[in-house]
Amino acid sequence: PRTHVAFLKTHKAGGSSVLNVLHRFGQRRRLRFALPRRYQFGYPRPFRAERVKGFGPRAPPFDIICHHMRFDRREVQRVMPNDTFYFSIIRDPAAAAASAFAYYRSIAPAFRNAPSLRSFLEAPERFYRAGQRGNHYAKNLQWFDFGLHPPRDSRAIDRTFAMVMVAEHFDESLVLLREALCWPEDAVTAFAHNSRAADGVPALSPEQSQRLRLWNALDWALYTHVNRSFWRRVEAFGASRMEAEVSRLRRRREAASQRCLQGGGPVPAPAISDGRLRPFQPPGRARILGYQLRAGLEGEERERCARMATPELQYKDILDRDQF
């Protein structure tokens, strides 16, 4: 199994679920994480090696880096070994931008000043000011997270990232990731994290989706490039083999849900009695779901289930205590 891993966690693309995979794998094998002093590496400023807790000329080497950053290849290479496997995740800009509108409504002035997503899409230029603090969330957020600058081609990421997962095909992505890293099945059997309650969230119309893709044209170019590369990788893996592996992964996840979780799935945060498992709730209208463990779990089984259910912020604190 490969143990030197760098994951660029892009915003609103399913990265929190990947983080749980990396946290559990690294903790179980006592790997050393490159951790931020708080919860992000100085974001939205570009990543700098000095923002890693414990980084220095005499520091032991790091194995995994995975928390929010604006990517800078040279700076990350100062922290990670030369044989590091770099990967990331990307999502259709229409869905990602709609999620960002709900999640960062109070942070991005362009979103905050718009009465609704519909109003924003009718005339985004009316609300958006380039360079205004927080407005990086409002346009081409994924391109921004990759640290790209126009007019650089989206293919520039191929020189660094061995793989980019596609959020709309998350299970297929996990299968490919597991093969690339030579990790065991239980390592990628994971619950979805940082998912939003669907009640009261209107579905995007085809016209709204198209408007969001046009507004986020750089993200759309990045997504279409990654999507083509992704399906070439699936084709090389084998369609029938992929179908079998995805089915197996879903059966394992469902079995873990029934074994570990009260109700067998996610619940609203107020229903979670253990504060260590209650996910962060952003200011605004987005309501983030989490997990309540099933009563009667004990010993190693409870610990295993708790790790699968622990949100990213609390898990980062656990890793921090383990290392420091």
Side-chain angles (χ1 to χ4, degrees):
R2 301 189 67 162
T3 56
H4 295 156
V5 177
F7 173 58
L8 174 61
K9 183 179 184 289
T10 54
H11 286 80
K12 314 315 301 170
S16 296
S17 304
V18 180
L19 239 62
N20 184 262
V21 168
L22 297 173
H23 286 166
R24 289 187 291 116
F25 180 86
Q27 184 187 34
R28 187 173 180 181
R29 287 156 182 79
R30 299 184 181 278
L31 301 181
R32 185 169 169 81
F33 285 82
L35 297 173
R37 298 183 188 280
R38 299 196 66 180
Y39 297 102
Q40 300 182 357
F41 291 108
Y43 188 88
R45 296 183 298 278
F47 175 82
R48 292 292 176 268
E50 287 74 17
R51 295 196 176 107
V52 174
K53 189 173 181 179
F55 172 76
R58 298 181 181 178
F62 294 103
D63 300 301
I64 297 176
I65 188 168
C66 56
H67 294 89
H68 271 312
M69 70 171 77
R70 188 180 185 200
F71 189 72
D72 185 301
R73 176 181 175 178
R74 290 183 180 179
E75 288 294 312
V76 175
Q77 287 176 331
R78 292 177 61 199
V79 175
M80 299 301 296
N82 291 335
D83 64 346
T84 294
F85 180 90
Y86 287 81
F87 78 106
S88 186
I89 188 168
I90 199 167
R91 184 182 184 187
D92 184 333
S99 181
F101 184 88
Y103 199 92
Y104 298 113
R105 188 77 182 274
S106 65
I107 299 174
F111 292 158
R112 186 170 61 242
N113 297 334
S116 64
L117 179 59
R118 182 176 181 178
S119 299
F120 178 79
L121 288 176
E122 287 174 354
E125 299 86 357
R126 177 183 167 194
F127 306 104
Y128 178 81
R129 297 291 180 272
Q132 191 172 7
R133 184 185 176 114
N135 268 354
H136 65 282
Y137 290 115
K139 188 173 186 180
N140 294 314
L141 176 56
Q142 297 177 92
W143 183 279
F144 182 88
D145 286 349
F146 272 95
L148 299 172
H149 300 277
R152 288 184 66 182
D153 194 288
S154 56
R155 289 174 292 184
I157 67 172
D158 297 340
R159 292 193 290 271
T160 300
F161 293 90
M163 177 180 170
V164 180
M165 302 170 69
V166 176
E168 284 77 16
H169 303 285
F170 190 77
D171 288 346
E172 291 86 348
S173 294
L174 282 179
V175 168
L176 293 176
L177 180 68
R178 185 177 84 83
E179 183 193 48
L181 296 176
C182 298
W183 285 8
E185 285 184 321
D186 66 330
V188 299
T189 304
F191 303 144
H193 282 266
N194 211 31
S195 60
R196 187 168 47 136
D199 55 313
V201 180
L204 291 173
S205 69
E207 182 186 5
Q208 287 176 321
S209 294
Q210 183 62 17
R211 282 177 177 266
L212 283 168
R213 290 170 186 147
L214 288 172
W215 175 247
N216 296 279
L218 294 175
D219 276 5
W220 180 243
L222 187 63
Y223 180 78
T224 53
H225 170 70
V226 166
N227 205 42
R228 286 192 294 268
S229 301
F230 177 82
W231 288 109
R232 285 196 295 269
R233 199 175 188 119
V234 170
E235 184 179 4
F237 186 86
S240 59
R241 181 185 171 203
M242 175 61 74
E243 184 177 357
E245 288 287 329
V246 166
S247 296
R248 184 178 175 87
L249 172 64
R250 290 173 178 170
R251 287 196 299 271
R252 291 178 65 88
R253 181 188 298 133
E254 178 61 24
S257 298
Q258 296 303 319
R259 184 176 68 249
C260 295
L261 304 177
Q262 183 175 302
V267 296
I272 302 172
S273 59
D274 188 342
R276 294 169 296 181
L277 301 181
R278 199 176 300 131
F280 170 75
Q281 300 296 306
R285 300 176 184 175
R287 296 198 305 114
I288 305 303
L289 302 175
Y291 299 100
Q292 171 83 345
L293 295 186
R294 188 170 59 82
L297 295 173
E298 296 180 355
E300 186 177 331
E301 183 179 35
R302 180 178 177 81
E303 180 65 24
R304 183 169 58 250
C305 291
R307 289 180 180 181
M308 294 181 71
T310 299
E312 60 182 284
L313 300 187
Q314 288 95 317
Y315 218 135
K316 184 267 175 184
D317 289 339
I318 292 170
L319 298 174
D320 199 296
R321 287 195 297 270
D322 285 351
Q323 287 186 198
F324 298 101

